[in-house]
Amino acid sequence: MRVVFRRVHKTFVQKGQRVQALSDVNFTIEEGEFICVIGPSGCGKSTLIGLIAGLEFPDSGEVYVDSKTVEGPSPDRIVVFQEAALFPWLTVLENVEFGLKIAGVPGKERRERAIEAIKLVHLSRFVHAHPHELSGGMRQRAAIARALVMDPKILLMDEPFAALDAQTRQMLQVELQEIWQKTRKTVLFVTHNVREATFLADRVLEISARPGTIKREY
């Protein structure tokens, strides 16, 4: 799916004050591209993800996905957050199955798809483990599997490796590249880490300090 931002402006109200998060943002993500977004804290990087996911809406301008205006959330656009946010009382398998269960996918198909997604993130030995039994990196792998099992067209990743140690982060960067090469999903990945961005991305979009706008493209 192709993503287009056209003259997007976005403000929020904080403590009674209007704060402009984004100003005149214009860019396009082609289908199958891996795009990283970098910029200082508070510049609106996460707001971009919210707008594509349909969790936020622009004050003016348009956000298009597949030539249609984004009007709300969709299973075609899945977000992976900085925190894995797994259900602690469910196993890895049950966590990965959860979205399919809500969508009404039959049990046998649900289990098969979940196991395939878990294999993709190299967690096959931990299908019956609970989140508290996993390392931070393993929990984030499970969160990625939970997103992939829904077969989204667009994967939105909001600093998913920020809380991990350097070695685990580097390992997951390589694994994410492998997953992307296998699935060729459109990916928008937000990060503060320049090295991470240049390693992962086809293109890197640099956002200015608030109000955020596209400052440069690499």
Side-chain angles (χ1 to χ4, degrees), residues 30-66:
E30 299 296 341
E31 184 171 356
E33 272 196 302
F34 197 127
I35 301 297
C36 280
V37 178
I38 60 171
S41 295
C43 71
K45 299 187 298 298
S46 296
T47 303
L48 294 179
I49 281 183
L51 290 167
I52 299 171
L55 305 174
E56 305 280 355
F57 299 96
D59 298 330
S60 62
E62 297 289 339
V63 179
Y64 299 99
V65 172
D66 203 22

Side-chain angles (χ1 to χ4, degrees), residues 92-109:
V92 168
L93 181 59
E94 290 165 341
N95 266 288
V96 174
E97 282 186 305
F98 186 80
L100 297 175
K101 186 176 182 180
I102 295 299
V105 176
K108 185 173 184 294
E109 180 188 347

Side-chain angles (χ1 to χ4, degrees), residues 63-75:
V63 179
Y64 299 99
V65 172
D66 203 22
S67 302
K68 298 175 183 175
T69 303
V70 174
E71 297 181 342
S74 164

Side-chain angles (χ1 to χ4, degrees), residues 11-161:
T11 59
F12 294 98
V13 177
Q14 294 179 350
K15 298 180 181 178
Q17 300 285 327
R18 293 190 72 81
V19 176
Q20 189 167 10
L22 298 174
S23 175
D24 195 26
V25 172
N26 297 275
F27 67 87
T28 299
I29 304 174
E30 299 296 341
E31 184 171 356
E33 272 196 302
F34 197 127
I35 301 297
C36 280
V37 178
I38 60 171
S41 295
C43 71
K45 299 187 298 298
S46 296
T47 303
L48 294 179
I49 281 183
L51 290 167
I52 299 171
L55 305 174
E56 305 280 355
F57 299 96
D59 298 330
S60 62
E62 297 289 339
V63 179
Y64 299 99
V65 172
D66 203 22
S67 302
K68 298 175 183 175
T69 303
V70 174
E71 297 181 342
S74 164
D76 284 335
R77 294 168 265 121
I78 301 290
V79 183
V80 178
F81 296 99
Q82 185 172 335
E83 296 294 331
L86 303 173
F87 295 116
W89 58 89
L90 299 181
T91 64
V92 168
L93 181 59
E94 290 165 341
N95 266 288
V96 174
E97 282 186 305
F98 186 80
L100 297 175
K101 186 176 182 180
I102 295 299
V105 176
K108 185 173 184 294
E109 180 188 347
R110 190 169 73 223
R111 183 64 51 100
E112 289 172 354
R113 285 173 61 178
I115 288 173
E116 190 62 33
I118 290 167
K119 283 181 182 176
L120 203 57
V121 298
H122 308 295
L123 276 183
S124 296
R125 291 172 51 205
F126 300 92
V127 288
H128 301 300
H130 287 81
H132 74 272
E133 300 173 296
L134 304 176
S135 68
M138 288 176 173
R139 287 194 293 271
Q140 205 61 318
R141 284 195 189 105
I144 294 169
R146 183 179 57 188
L148 290 172
V149 79
M150 301 302 294
D151 195 25
K153 300 294 189 297
I154 300 173
L155 196 58
L156 304 166
M157 311 190 78
D158 194 358
E159 299 191 67
F161 306 152

